Amino acid sequence: MVYDLIIVGMGPAGVTAAIYAKRAGLSVLCFDSSMIGGYLNYIDRIDNYPGLYGISGPDFAFKLFDTMKELNIEYYNKKVTKIENDGEYKKVIAEDNEYKCKNVIIAIGRKMRKLGLDKEEELLGKGISRCALCDGNFFKDKDVCVVGGGNSALQEALYLANICNKVYVIHRRDNFRADKELINRLTNKDNIEIIYNANVKELLTNKDVLSGVRLDNKVEIDVSGLFIYIG
Ligand SMILES: Cc1cc2nc3c(=O)[nH]c(=O)nc-3n(C[C@H](O)[C@H](O)[C@H](O)COP(=O)(O)OP(=O)(O)OC[C@H]3O[C@@H](n4cnc5c(N)ncnc54)[C@H](O)[C@@H]3O)c2cc1C
């Protein structure tokens, strides 16, 4: 079969494209290597989507999954490894199979940016995390820091503040670029301390597990967890 459209990535972008394509009468096939909903599955709470104020990311993702089912949109939980031109068609290679189509939409989101520090990769899962919703509970009643100054960083810091003893928010500038409402909530939280104009310079370890961070202003902070949201 030759599909009119193959969509790679079933985050909010891919699912939206799939809904429009299906309703326009196209034959559509979708792929995701992980879960429908993409990054939504890792977000604690979403406050900026009309009609769904306060919904949890996983609940929103489940609604997308339901919509896909309701519209009978064909979907495979497979990783697409290659897309090739094949004469007048495109060939999409997903794990062990090839699928033909006329058009492809690539909606695979983006990779999260790293700090670029020594040991950063080794310490993933040993103190470093990029998902407060997934890993926050490992740091219950402990001190952690969050790096970043946008909506994601502030949202995650607020989530962690309900679990952890203390949350340091380390931001490289002297003001946040996040929404005003989030900034207000952050500054009113007793167990959040904001450190402006600072960058994490070094990751400190004890027995191969994160034990703290050293900032470029030479200050050292003892923390068990470091959550990175810098884009
Ligand atoms: C901590 C955090 C909090 C956030 N909070 C909010 C918020 O409150 N409100 C808001 O509007 N936005 C929020 N965002 C941003 C929001 O999550 C993203 O804008 C949105 O998820 C982007 O959607 P997307 O479909 O482009 O990509 P993604 O959601 O990243 O989805 C991409 C999908 O592609 C799949 N994929 C990747 N490669 C392949 C491959 N080779 N084969 C098959 N599938 C593949 C992935 O598995 C994934 O499911 C937040 C982001 C973060 C990090």
Side-chain angles (χ1 to χ4, degrees):
M1 156 153 195
V2 178
Y3 290 90
D4 291 320
L5 176 65
I6 288 184
I7 302 174
V8 187
M10 286 287 97
V15 173
T16 306
I19 292 168
Y20 275 80
K22 182 75 183 190
R23 285 172 47 82
L26 303 183
S27 55
V28 195
L29 175 63
C30 302
F31 290 97
D32 199 291
S33 52
S34 181
M35 287 179 280
I36 289 181
Y39 209 85
L40 295 179
N41 289 291
Y42 307 102
I43 301 174
D44 168 44
R45 178 189 162 108
I46 295 164
D47 285 344
N48 63 345
Y49 198 84
L52 295 174
Y53 179 81
I55 192 168
S56 81
D59 283 351
F60 192 1
F62 202 76
K63 281 184 184 290
L64 298 185
F65 178 67
D66 266 353
T67 309
M68 298 267 297
K69 265 199 337 207
E70 202 64 44
L71 289 173
N72 237 333
I73 296 172
E74 204 177 337
Y75 161 73
Y76 287 122
N77 181 210
K78 286 184 180 183
K79 180 174 183 161
V80 169
T81 47
K82 210 169 183 185
I83 300 170
E84 290 174 347
N85 279 318
D86 184 18
E88 60 180 306
Y89 301 117
K90 311 263 183 281
K91 201 160 68 181
V92 173
I93 296 142
E95 293 173 12
D96 45 353
N97 289 309
E98 292 181 2
Y99 304 84
K100 263 191 180 175
C101 63
K102 296 179 189 160
N103 301 285
V104 181
I105 291 179
I106 302 172
I108 56 173
R110 61 181 170 80
K111 281 215 171 106
M112 293 181 87
R113 208 179 281 163
K114 297 177 195 163
L115 291 169
L117 297 174
D118 254 12
K119 299 188 248 172
E120 191 172 344
E121 279 304 305
E122 295 157 46
L123 291 172
L124 255 185
K126 293 179 182 169
I128 294 189
S129 169
R130 301 199 180 101
C131 177
L133 187 60
C134 326
D135 299 335
N137 241 32
F138 294 125
F139 302 96
K140 191 167 164 47
D141 300 327
K142 296 186 175 161
D143 293 353
V144 299
C145 62
V146 170
V147 181
N151 284 339
S152 302
L154 269 55
Q155 264 179 333
E156 301 298 86
L158 285 163
Y159 175 77
L160 289 166
N162 292 329
I163 300 172
C164 303
N165 177 54
K166 176 151 188 171
V167 179
Y168 297 91
V169 176
I170 299 166
H171 183 40
R172 64 190 166 136
R173 299 190 204 285
D174 60 1
N175 61 346
F176 290 113
R177 63 174 193 278
D179 295 345
K180 190 98 180 66
E181 192 253 339
L182 281 174
I183 299 172
N184 288 342
R185 281 170 57 199
L186 191 88
T187 45
N188 284 324
K189 202 82 180 159
D190 287 341
N191 62 341
I192 294 183
E193 181 177 333
I194 303 166
I195 303 176
Y196 293 105
N197 297 313
N199 294 285
V200 176
K201 203 70 189 156
E202 195 181 338
L203 303 170
L204 309 174
T205 54
N206 183 8
K207 294 185 183 144
D208 297 330
V209 172
L210 185 86
S211 60
V213 293
R214 183 173 294 126
L215 306 182
D216 53 0
N217 59 12
K218 308 265 190 304
V219 169
E220 267 186 37
I221 312 173
D222 293 337
V223 283
S224 315
L226 166 64
F227 291 78
I228 305 166
Y229 301 102
I230 53 169

